[in-house]
Each structure stands twice: as structure tokens, then as C-alpha cells.
Amino acid sequence: MFRTALRNVLAHKARLLMTAFAVMLGVTFISGSLIYGDSANRAATARATDGYGRIAVSVFPDDSRGGAAVAGDGPPGVDAATVAALAKVAGVAAATGRVDGFAAVADRDGRLLGHGPSHKGANFAPGAHGTDPAYRFTRGSGPTRDDAIALDETTAAKGGYRVGDTVRVGTNQGAASYTLSGIFRTDGTARPAGGSLTLFTDATAQRLFLRPGRYAKADLTAAPGTGVRDLLGRVESALPPGTGAATGAQLARIQANLATNDSDTMSQILVGFAAVALFTATFLISNTFTMLVSRRTRELALMRAVGATRRQVRRVLLTESLLVGALASAAGLAAGTGVAALLRTVFAADDAPAAPLVLTPGTVLTSLLVGTVLPMVAAWLPIRRAMAIPPVAALGAAEPAQPARTGSLRTGLCAALLLAGVGAAAYGALSPGRDSRTVIGVGAALALTGAIGLIPLLARPFTALLRPLLTRLHPVHGTLAARNTVRDPRRTGATAAALAIALTLASGLSVLGASAARYLDRATTHDFTADYLVKPAEGGMRMTPDTAAPLKGLPGVRSSPLDQSTGYRLGGVPSVLTGVDPATIGGLLRYDVIEGSLDSLAEGRIAVADFKAGPAGWRVGQTLPLERQDGKRGSVTIGAVYRADEQSNLLPSITAPDSLVARYDSAPSTAGVLVDTPGGPGRASLGEVTRALGDNPALAVLDQAGIRAQDSGDIGEQLNVFYALLSMALAIAALGIANTLAMSVLERHKEIGTLRALGVDRSGVSRMIRLEALLLGGLGATLGTALGVFLGWALGRTLQESVAGYALVLPWGRLAVGVLIALVGALLASVWPARRAARTDIAAATAVQ
């Protein structure tokens, strides 16, 4: 039986090529995703833990967990006296005080260097030999003066800086210019990929990031012959109150767990899209085996007639699918390694160190198992159908038996699934609750399954709808293409189903993305009436009320900070207060006051958003008790209630005079600064505001267009990544169209030869095949787009309960592009079958009996 299966595979290798290629693509995607995830995890772990090997024990304030303490938020680090005392503990070779914080480096044009929230500054802590073991200088040396700094070599290269150049650096304390004293390399614990690392002297780093004479932590190295556990015990017995200690190995494990979170998430997303690609490939495989088995009906019947049992024939066919899957899986696993390398290049930071790819036994086993089992499962149904044909009937047929029409039972079941799925998704959308998205997800699965099963039934009315257009363009070829498309509805349905799945996901993502982008645009810019918003250029910087102070001196400029202060209970309700300038805020933000007056802010009262006041039952004139978590108590009176979107990035839930916030919080965090200039937004006013803020590269001065681009840019980037991942499913769907047309051409060899003999030229035959491809592509694209729009609407409805102002947006342009890509893919898939059909030999084809 195995030899028979092997001979059959070799005999039909051309027909099985597309199936093998589809399986290979699916396995390539899933193995590449798994290899990428394992490699990214190992690289992230190695980078995050690099450097902890030289730390025996680290000492830090108890409540800072090893991170940099912030003045006013608990114990201010570890003092210099403690570091000196730790250096004298038996077994300690050296004790080095470390302090770090936010520091952003500007390029020569004043723009921020690097990306992401990883702009970091630290202290250069030379030992007895004048070197710091954490940093290896390639040029120059560490800073020894307060007006000098050192830069990591990646940042220096990006900015084109050399030793001796002047560099502008921004921190939470403002911006200043420094002389570059050296360029260094460092380990992964000091500078995450994509960011920058700036070294200051001890005194400068302490002043900028903590307090003079204080360190965030102290790193201890062990003397030769001293065990880490023994050293930890000695250090803990010598620690002053309010400090703790951990070994470098313990800290490395914590950092490793934190470092793998992002790569785990991306790996899960990739595996999810790989599953979609494999599911799409299932239709191609099933369709191919259906056509192969149909073509080999007489061959299989002959095997039965000479003594082979039904089980043996079934075993031969399943073995064929197993062989195809095994060979394709091996090729896919090899190609997956290259895909993993490509994914690592796409998603890694541009300065991330090279790391080897990781191929685990689990990845090999999963890839081979999926790639071999999937073809067997997909081939089971067509094999079962073939075994139901009696051998005598198959041997007596001059031509392969016509495919069975879609049965009423199957049609009824699929219709029920479609209706149930649509009903469940609509119910989840119109009755939002905690489990509404789960209900929609189940409904989507049922609806997609039912729709796929009904595609053979839908093929006839869809073709009939487009037939007048085809016959108008090409009367003869259009009529033939329409008839050939509905000749085998099951085959047409299986081919179009793969395309429908990909278009469902793509169009659903487009609807959600466009709706979310429109909402964010409106929620951000609708309330913004100022010229500029000043905010951190990247995450990591902490703005304070002092940030806006220089703007007060600009003639004709109105400004107001948004000073957020947390930890309040207002009338028993947890609340966040945002302090503003009562004199200017009315001209910088659009407040839709429902009750009271915004002028009451100048009287020391507060204004509350409707979504905050409504559930709490607050009203204008009501005095509420106020208590902060640090024990400060008082009371405030509501002076106005305004309409606001709970998800707005600008309008706060509670607006208070900045003087009121300062009374309870000496160090609020400023979320942004609103600025209005006399001449309106423009290059001159932008330069004036930027200079007043000290040319700080850590601060971004954004007009309305800049805010819109920043808030909606992330959604666009994520959608582009998802579209790129879905392209694999589209590629497999195109292969399915090519395979279906190729097998159809093979089955219709005599028919095509007869058409040629009757006068249809080669271009006419090619045109007929291309029109068939367009009908297949159009059917899948239409159904997928309709389902995607519906599911995008349903999921969007669940957001309306918590996101006021969210509304459905149909991105007609993107939807049209999706359909166009599907049609172009179908045309490209038809090139080889059309070429083969056009080259049909008339004499040989018409001589076939």
C-alpha cells in the first residue's frame, strides 16, 4: 500500500504541487512565528540580564524595588554614607552607587535622537583605577566635570557627534548643553534597544535624577572566594532601616520575565495569523484532493475490483496526503527559519545586537505535526465520498461522475449556522455587557462557517448577477466563463471560501481601525482650541508645573498647564484633579458647560465632567469633602458641570484651579501645557515657544495636525502590520484559485480542444479562464467584505458603551483596495492555467476517448 501511495504521488506530482506549496506556506508561517518568538525571548533575556553577572548583591530602598527613587515619593534612595559603609563589609570588593533617570539627547538640528521611552541618563562611577566596569570607552573618557557628558556609541553615531562637540540634553529639570568627553559601549541593563544613554558626573546625575548625596541603589561586587549567598547575609545584617538587598541573579530573573512580555505578545499574534493561513490552506487541500479523487474514480474502482478493500484504498489515499504533508512540512520548517530572520529584522530595533535563531524541539514537532495532520484531515471528506461510489458504477462510467449537488440537509444546516451566528453577533452588539465580545466572537465563528458552507449555493445567483456584464464585454467568452464557474458549485465554494476568510479579517480590521482613528481624532482635536500643546516627546519624561513657567513671560502668549494630581477621594469617590490657570483655560479648551459657569474656577471652585458628576449625583453648588491619601483634608464646591468624552486626552474629569491643586500636592505631574500665541500657529510662533522652553529635545510642541498624526499614527502602523500578516492567507487563496483553474483545464481538455476546433483562438481561451478567475475572486471578496463590515460594526458597538462618541466609519477606499487586491490576485493566479489552456493541442484533445 505504501509503495502504491508513493507511486501515485510521483505520478501526480504536478497536480499535488500547489497543495504542497500551500501546506509549506502555512508551516513556514507557523514555524517562523515560533522560531521568532523563541529567538526574541532569548535575545531579550540575554540583553536584559547582561551585566548582572558582575553584580553580586544590589542594595536599594525597600519601596523602590531597585528602581530610581523620586524626590518626595518615599525614601530618597541610598545615601553616600551607606554606600561607603557597605564597601567595608567583609567579602565586598567594591560598592558602587548608581543613579539614573530620564535624559533625552538632541541631534544637531535640535530633534530628539532615538525612539521609544528608553531615553536614559546615569552616573559615571569610576573606581580606584578611574574606570567604571559598566562602560567600555572606545573614544575619550568618562565625564569628570559637571558640564561634560559621555554618550553610547549608537547615539553618538546617529547624531554625528565626536569627542569635544557640544550636545544638548533634556531632562525633567530642563535642558542644558554639555561637552562630549567620551563615547562608550555598555551592556543591555544600561540602555534598552532603540534609546540613548547619557553619562553624567555623580554630582550632576544626583541633582538631575534624585537628590545631592543620594543614589538609587548600590551595586556590590564580591571579593575572590566569597559566596554570593554568604555575602547577601552579611550585607543584610549591615543594612540601615528602610533598605533591602537582592542578589544579581535574583534581579536578572526579574528582568528576564519583564523583558519577554512584548516578544510573547507579538509571537502569539503571529501564531494567530499563522493559524488563519493554515485554515485557509485547508480549503485548497480539500479542493485539490476532491478533484484528484474525482479524476481517479476508475483507477480506484479498478483497485477495488482486483481485491483491495475499501479500507486499503482509503489508507493509500491518506498515505498520499501524509507524504505530501511531510515533504511540505520539512520544506516549510526550513523556510520558516528564513521567515524568522526576516521578522526579527522587521520588528527589532535598528540598533539591537545580532542574536542566533533558536530552533527548539517543540517548534520542530509542532510544525511537522501540523503540516502532516492538516492534509490528512482536509483529504478525509473527499476520500470518504469516493469510497461511497460502487466499483461497478465507477468502472462503467466513460467519464468521471458528475459532482453531487449541494444537499438540502447541508444547505439547511449551513443556513441555520449563518442565521444563528448573525443573530448572536447582533445580540452581542446591541446588548453590550461583560461577555458581549465573547458572544460576538462565537457568532462570528458560526456565521463564517455557515457562509462558507453556503458559498456553493450563492455561486449561481452571484454569477447570474454578473453574467450580463460579462456577456456585454465578451459575449461568447463571458457566457462560457459563467457556465464553467457554476459547473461544480462545491469546487467553486471551496476556492472562494479561502479568499472570503482573508477578506473578512482584512475588512473587519479596516472598519475597526478607521472608526477608532476617527474617534481619536475627534476626541483629541474637538476640544482643542489653543495653538499648541506641549507634551513629552517620548515616554519617560515627567513634566512639572515649572515646565510652563518660561511661557508666562512671552508677550501676548496665553498658557495653562494641565497639572494632574492623584490619590484623592472626593465625596467618597476616587478622583483625579487637574489644575489649570482659571484666567486662560476657557480660551484654550472647549468646555461645553451644562450647568454653572467656568468663571467659578477663579473663585476657587471646581468644574466636573458629566460622566463623573452624573453617577455620583453631584450638582452645582454642592460642597464635597476632599481627602488625599497623604492625610490632607478639606472641602471643595462644584461651580460647573460640563459635557465631556470619558476617553478624551485633553478634557479632564475634574478641572480645578492650579492654586487649589498646589495646596494639596507640592509635586503634581503635568500632562501637558496649552499655549495660544498672538499670531496663531506658524513657524515663527513655534520657534518662539520652543526657545522659551529651552530648546528641550524631550519636549514636543504640537499643533492640531501634529496631535492628530501622533494619536492616529499608532493605529495605522498596527493595521499595516496586520495587513502584511494577512497577505499570507491571501497568497494561499490565490494558490487555491490557480490550482482550481489548473485542474479544471485538465478535466476540460477535450472540451477546450473542441472550442479551439470550432474557431475560438488562443486569446479567447485565455480570456475565458481569466474571466472564471475574476468570478471566483469576486465571489470570495464580496462575501468576505460583507461579513467583515458586519463584524467590524458588531465589535465597534461594544465600544460605544464605554467610549462616548465612537461611531461606525466605513473606509470605502480601503475596502475597495481589498477587493481590488483580491481581483488582481485572482488574475495573476489565472496566468499559468490560462497559458496552459491556450496551448491545448487541438488534434490530441479531440482524439481523447
Side-chain angles (χ1 to χ4, degrees):
M1 289 295 104
F2 179 79
R3 288 196 299 270
T4 302
L6 182 59
R7 282 197 299 268
N8 287 334
V9 169
L10 295 176
H12 302 96
K13 55 181 178 294
R15 304 180 190 180
L16 291 169
L17 181 62
M18 289 292 186
T19 297
F21 193 53
V23 175
M24 188 194 77
L25 281 179
V27 173
T28 296
F29 203 167
I30 196 167
S31 62
S33 301
L34 294 173
I35 294 172
Y36 165 78
D38 293 336
S39 304
N41 281 345
R42 183 170 296 184
T45 299
R47 184 178 181 87
T49 58
D50 184 21
Y52 280 104
R54 57 179 171 77
I55 300 174
V57 176
S58 185
V59 175
F60 43 81
D62 274 341
D63 64 345
S64 70
R65 297 179 296 278
V70 179
D73 293 338
V78 179
D79 60 29
T82 300
V83 177
L86 291 172
K88 298 178 181 178
V89 173
V92 174
T96 305
R98 298 291 182 188
V99 60
D100 55 35
F102 177 82
V105 181
D107 62 15
R108 295 184 181 275
D109 296 324
R111 294 187 298 266
L112 182 68
L113 277 174
H115 58 85
S118 49
H119 303 282
K120 191 174 179 182
N123 63 315
F124 175 67
H129 301 288
T131 59
D132 189 330
Y135 311 106
R136 302 177 296 280
F137 280 84
T138 58
R139 280 163 285 178
S141 60
T144 55
R145 305 190 318 271
D146 289 345
D147 63 347
I149 59 167
L151 291 177
D152 67 274
E153 63 177 0
T154 301
T155 303
K158 286 181 179 178
Y161 288 122
R162 300 177 181 177
V163 173
D165 288 346
T166 299
V167 182
R168 191 77 175 170
V169 181
T171 66
N172 291 336
Q173 307 300 323
S177 296
Y178 300 86
T179 301
L180 183 61
S181 66
I183 298 173
F184 60 88
R185 295 178 181 173
T186 186
D187 52 52
T189 62
R191 185 185 65 83
S196 61
L197 176 59
T198 307
L199 295 184
F200 302 86
T201 61
D202 253 13
T204 303
Q206 289 171 344
R207 173 178 58 82
L208 293 175
F209 306 134
L210 199 54
R211 289 183 182 178
R214 298 281 181 169
Y215 297 98
K217 61 180 180 178
D219 293 336
L220 313 181
T221 56
T226 303
V228 173
R229 302 302 306 178
D230 292 338
L231 182 61
L232 178 62
R234 297 173 194 169
V235 169
E236 287 179 333
S237 63
L239 289 179
T243 55
T247 65
Q250 291 172 331
L251 296 176
R253 284 194 295 271
I254 294 173
Q255 293 299 318
N257 291 333
L258 294 174
T260 56
N261 285 339
D262 290 343
S263 55
D264 281 343
T265 301
M266 179 54 68
S267 180
Q268 291 169 4
I269 293 174
L270 291 172
V271 170
F273 278 96
V276 172
L278 285 169
F279 184 60
T280 305
T282 304
F283 292 93
L284 191 158
I285 299 166
S286 179
N287 213 18
T288 301
F289 272 92
T290 298
M291 291 183 284
L292 284 177
V293 170
S294 176
R295 291 290 298 173
R296 295 165 58 191
T297 302
R298 299 183 67 185
E299 172 190 334
L300 299 177
L302 183 60
M303 292 176 63
R304 295 276 305 282
V306 297
T309 65
R310 182 177 296 182
R311 178 178 298 179
Q312 287 176 317
V313 175
R314 184 185 299 115
R315 192 180 304 159
V316 169
L317 294 174
L318 288 176
T319 303
E320 292 178 22
S321 66
L322 176 65
L323 290 172
V324 171
L327 293 173
S329 299
L333 184 60
T337 306
V339 170
L342 178 62
L343 290 173
R344 186 177 58 180
T345 302
V346 170
F347 294 117
D350 53 5
D351 57 348
L357 292 175
V358 177
L359 181 61
T360 64
T363 297
V364 175
L365 182 62
T366 300
S367 301
L368 295 179
L369 188 63
V370 168
T372 53
V373 171
L374 180 66
M376 296 179 67
V377 172
W380 174 260
L381 185 59
I383 292 173
R384 183 172 176 271
R385 288 175 186 159
M387 293 300 98
I389 302 175
V392 175
L395 284 172
E399 294 290 341
Q402 290 296 319
R405 295 183 179 272
T406 302
S408 58
L409 178 62
R410 172 179 170 175
T411 301
L413 179 60
C414 291
L417 287 175
L418 178 61
L419 291 176
V422 170
Y427 174 80
L430 299 175
S431 303
R434 178 177 300 178
D435 299 325
S436 59
R437 290 174 191 166
T438 302
V439 173
I440 292 174
V442 174
L446 293 176
L448 190 58
T449 303
I452 290 172
L454 288 176
I455 290 181
L457 189 67
L458 298 175
R460 291 187 180 278
F462 180 82
T463 304
L465 182 65
L466 294 183
R467 185 169 180 172
L469 176 62
L470 296 179
T471 54
R472 182 182 295 270
L473 294 175
H474 302 286
V476 175
H477 310 121
T479 301
L480 291 173
R483 289 180 177 177
N484 290 329
T485 301
V486 297
R487 173 182 293 186
D488 190 338
R490 283 183 177 176
R491 179 187 303 176
T492 300
T495 304
L499 196 58
I501 294 171
L503 264 296
T504 297
L505 293 175
S507 55
L509 286 173
S510 296
V511 170
L512 283 175
S515 301
R518 178 73 60 84
Y519 161 74
L520 286 176
D521 180 28
R522 182 185 179 280
T524 301
T525 59
H526 176 266
D527 307 321
F528 181 73
T529 58
D531 292 337
Y532 298 107
L533 172 65
V534 180
K535 60 185 298 186
E538 296 281 0
M541 180 180 180
R542 183 176 184 272
M543 295 175 62
T544 66
D546 293 337
T547 304
L551 299 174
K552 298 293 184 182
L554 294 179
V557 171
R558 296 182 301 167
S559 65
S560 174
L562 299 173
D563 296 332
Q564 289 187 340
S565 183
T566 60
Y568 294 91
R569 292 192 69 83
L570 185 60
V573 179
S575 302
V576 176
L577 269 61
T578 300
V580 301
D581 184 350
T584 61
I585 190 62
L588 303 173
L589 284 181
R590 181 181 288 110
Y591 280 86
D592 185 5
V593 178
I594 302 173
E595 186 181 2
S597 173
L598 202 63
D599 295 337
S600 61
L601 292 174
E603 302 170 4
R605 299 188 177 191
I606 64 171
V608 184
D610 56 351
F611 65 81
K612 186 79 172 179
W618 297 343
R619 61 186 183 277
V620 171
Q622 183 177 357
T623 299
L624 302 173
L626 183 147
E627 180 182 358
R628 198 161 187 256
Q629 62 185 9
D630 58 5
K632 295 181 180 179
R633 298 173 182 268
S635 61
V636 294
T637 301
I638 299 177
V641 175
Y642 54 91
R643 186 176 290 107
D645 189 334
E646 191 171 356
Q647 305 299 321
S648 174
N649 294 332
L650 292 175
L651 274 182
S653 59
I654 299 178
T655 305
D658 49 9
S659 58
L660 176 65
V661 169
R663 188 186 313 161
Y664 292 94
D665 189 354
S666 60
S669 177
T670 301
V673 181
L674 300 164
V675 184
D676 199 50
T677 57
R683 180 172 298 182
S685 59
L686 177 63
E688 184 180 18
V689 172
T690 303
R691 286 190 296 273
L693 294 171
D695 290 317
N696 193 336
L699 295 176
V701 183
L702 304 174
D703 58 9
Q704 192 172 83
I707 297 173
R708 181 183 296 111
Q710 189 178 76
D711 289 343
S712 60
D714 291 342
I715 294 179
E717 291 178 2
Q718 292 172 3
L719 284 178
N720 289 336
V721 171
F722 291 153
Y723 291 150
L725 296 176
L726 282 174
S727 63
M728 183 69 74
L730 285 170
I732 293 176
L735 284 177
I737 294 174
N739 205 25
T740 297
L741 293 175
M743 296 296 290
S744 177
V745 167
L746 185 63
E747 289 180 353
R748 293 151 51 195
H749 186 64
K750 183 176 182 179
E751 174 188 324
I752 294 173
T754 303
L755 289 174
R756 291 292 316 282
L758 292 175
V760 179
D761 58 9
R762 289 187 175 185
S763 62
V765 172
S766 297
R767 189 177 300 115
M768 178 183 68
I769 301 299
R770 288 196 296 269
L771 290 176
E772 291 178 32
L774 283 176
L775 285 172
L776 288 171
L779 176 59
T782 301
L783 181 62
T785 302
L787 275 175
V789 170
F790 170 71
L791 295 177
W793 164 81
L795 287 172
R797 284 280 305 181
T798 64
L799 299 175
Q800 292 181 346
E801 186 74 12
S802 57
V803 182
Y806 180 93
L808 175 69
V809 175
L810 293 180
W812 296 108
R814 287 187 177 181
L815 295 177
V817 168
V819 173
L820 181 62
I821 290 175
L823 295 178
V824 171
L827 276 177
L828 293 176
S830 69
V831 171
W832 179 64
R835 181 183 178 88
R836 184 173 182 178
R839 292 188 172 185
T840 299
D841 184 85
I842 298 176
T846 53
V848 175
Q849 299 298 322

